Amino acid sequence: MKIPKANIGQLTALARVAFASNRFLAIYGKGGIGKTTIPKTLIAPALGFDETWVVNLSGASPQEATGYLVPDSVTRDGWFSSPEGWPTVARVGAKHVLLVLDEYPEWDLSVQSLCRSLFNPHGSAMIGVHELGENVRIIITGNRRSDGSRSAVPSAPFVERCLSVCVEPTLDGWLEWAATEGLASSPVYAFLKFQGGDQHGVDHFNPDVPTPWDGSPHPCPRAWEAACRASLEDIPSGLLPLVLEGFVGESAGRAAYAFSELVARLVPLLSGIRAGGTVPTDAADQHAIAHAAIRVAKRETSADPAVAVASGALDWLVRLLAQCRGEIRAYGFDTAVRCGLPLDQHPRRAELQGI
């Protein structure tokens, strides 16, 4: 499938266009980029939906989608049960509901065909005999075969009911999100910040899925989140390479491990720098030493970081960051603040911000 590409920041506007045009929004892309999370955490709040419902019928039968026929021995007729996962009018009424059909291309083709009735330009959306709420809007998500998936190709009648885009996450956007999640203190985050993109000729963050797909661990936003959340200090050094490669694959895992080892090697230099020594001139060394310094400062001032700044206990960190290159100095300042070290209250904050 050749689908127009969009970044995550454009999806809310695209959803608004799709719904105004009485269409579904279809979001495709590689696994682990947040296709299911984005509608719930980004699109639904921005467009004012009251609720978000997620339905995933991978491996389900048609009866699980439309409900089972319940015979009535008295009338010799029957009625269909209403599966709990659908936002029917009886359940949601006039609420504004965002319905996500998750991993839709993985659904059995017989189930996919039933979902065409969810699109009705002249009446209520239906699934079998069940009417959905009057203000339900629909997003579908799915992988493509080129993403290492066994997904079937959606039928032409269904595609014609959609505004289809392929989402491409960006490293900068992911780093900003990860920082808000408290992941900026991880050496894995620092690695991605410095050399996660393709500026060094290799995309360690979110490269294309290998063809043919062999099932090996592969770097993607979801895998990097897991690596950042792992407490690397508690992992025996001999297992750390295996842990990182198990999360993000051999190439990216080795690169992240090498950076974490660089951080560990530079930690002993901190005492000399704090005593008045100079920061290394190499960019990779500066990035690693800045990260190590922030981790040490956070540990030492965990009781009350604001008091530490006011008392001058973090002046050594400010002097260290001030010696770094401009982009590394800015990274150090932003990361320190996100990690709970209020350097934005330090008298030299303008210097660290590059103002």
Side-chain angles (χ1 to χ4, degrees):
M1 293 184 290
K2 293 184 177 179
I3 305 173
K5 294 183 179 180
N7 61 50
I8 292 173
Q10 296 172 319
L11 290 180
T12 297
L14 290 169
R16 185 178 287 108
V17 171
F19 300 153
S21 305
N22 199 19
R23 291 293 185 272
F24 306 152
L25 176 65
I27 303 175
Y28 297 98
K30 293 190 285 289
I33 62 173
K35 296 186 298 296
T36 308
T37 303
I38 289 168
K40 294 189 292 184
T41 61
L42 181 68
I43 297 176
L47 297 187
F49 284 97
D50 300 313
E51 299 176 2
T52 302
W53 292 50
V54 179
V55 173
N56 190 326
L57 294 176
S58 300
S61 66
Q63 289 76 21
E64 292 177 81
T66 60
Y68 289 88
L69 178 64
V70 180
D72 189 321
S73 60
V74 176
T75 64
R76 296 183 180 275
D77 198 349
W79 52 275
F80 285 91
S81 62
S82 178
E84 293 184 357
W86 296 106
T88 59
V89 66
R91 294 185 178 121
V92 301
K95 287 183 179 178
H96 290 267
V97 174
L98 182 62
L99 172 61
V100 181
L101 307 184
D102 196 28
E103 298 182 358
Y104 175 82
E106 305 278 353
W107 298 9
D108 187 89
L109 291 178
S110 60
V111 178
Q112 290 189 24
S113 66
L114 296 172
C115 293
R116 295 179 192 172
S117 60
L118 294 173
F119 179 88
N120 186 350
H122 305 298
S124 301
M126 305 287 294
I127 182 69
V129 299
H130 308 296
E131 179 183 352
L132 298 194
E134 59 185 89
N135 289 312
V136 172
R137 300 295 179 265
I138 297 175
I139 289 178
I140 73 169
T141 72
N143 299 333
R144 304 162 298 173
R145 288 180 177 175
S146 59
D147 299 320
S149 171
R150 298 178 183 175
S151 300
V153 176
S155 64
F158 192 85
V159 172
E160 290 161 1
R161 291 161 166 79
C162 299
L163 188 165
S164 301
V165 294
C166 179
V167 64
E168 292 285 342
T170 63
L171 176 58
D172 288 343
W174 185 88
L175 289 170
E176 182 177 351
W177 169 83
T180 64
E181 291 290 305
L183 304 180
S185 60
S186 169
V188 174
Y189 178 95
F191 161 74
L192 288 171
K193 181 74 175 181
F194 181 65
Q195 55 189 40
D198 59 4
Q199 65 268 35
H200 299 283
V202 178
D203 180 7
H204 286 309
F205 172 61
N206 191 39
D208 292 334
V209 175
T211 303
W213 171 246
D214 63 1
S216 299
H218 181 71
C220 67
R222 181 189 296 148
W224 284 117
E225 177 189 357
C228 284
R229 291 190 185 280
S231 181
L232 303 187
E233 295 85 352
D234 298 332
I235 299 173
S237 59
L239 291 181
L240 184 55
L242 295 178
V243 169
L244 292 173
E245 290 179 29
F247 279 132
V248 298
E250 183 176 359
S251 177
R254 287 182 176 179
Y257 174 70
F259 186 85
S260 67
E261 286 294 285
L262 174 61
V263 171
R265 290 196 301 272
L266 290 175
V267 166
L269 295 178
L270 277 177
S271 58
I273 297 173
R274 294 177 70 166
T278 58
V279 173
T281 58
D282 180 76
D285 289 350
Q286 284 190 2
H287 206 279
I289 201 73
H291 173 76
I294 291 168
R295 290 178 66 83
V296 170
K298 183 178 179 181
R299 184 174 64 250
E300 292 180 349
T301 63
S302 59
D304 198 332
V307 170
V309 171
S311 67
L314 286 180
D315 286 355
W316 68 269
L317 177 61
V318 172
R319 288 195 301 270
L320 183 151
L321 294 176
Q323 295 181 50
C324 295
R325 299 185 182 190
E327 69 278 8
I328 299 173
R329 185 189 317 133
Y331 154 77
F333 175 81
D334 291 340
T335 301
V337 172
R338 290 180 183 275
C339 289
L341 299 173
L343 296 189
D344 52 343
Q345 300 175 18
H346 196 276
R348 297 179 64 181
R349 58 185 177 276
E351 179 183 351
L352 298 181
Q353 292 174 290
I355 299 176

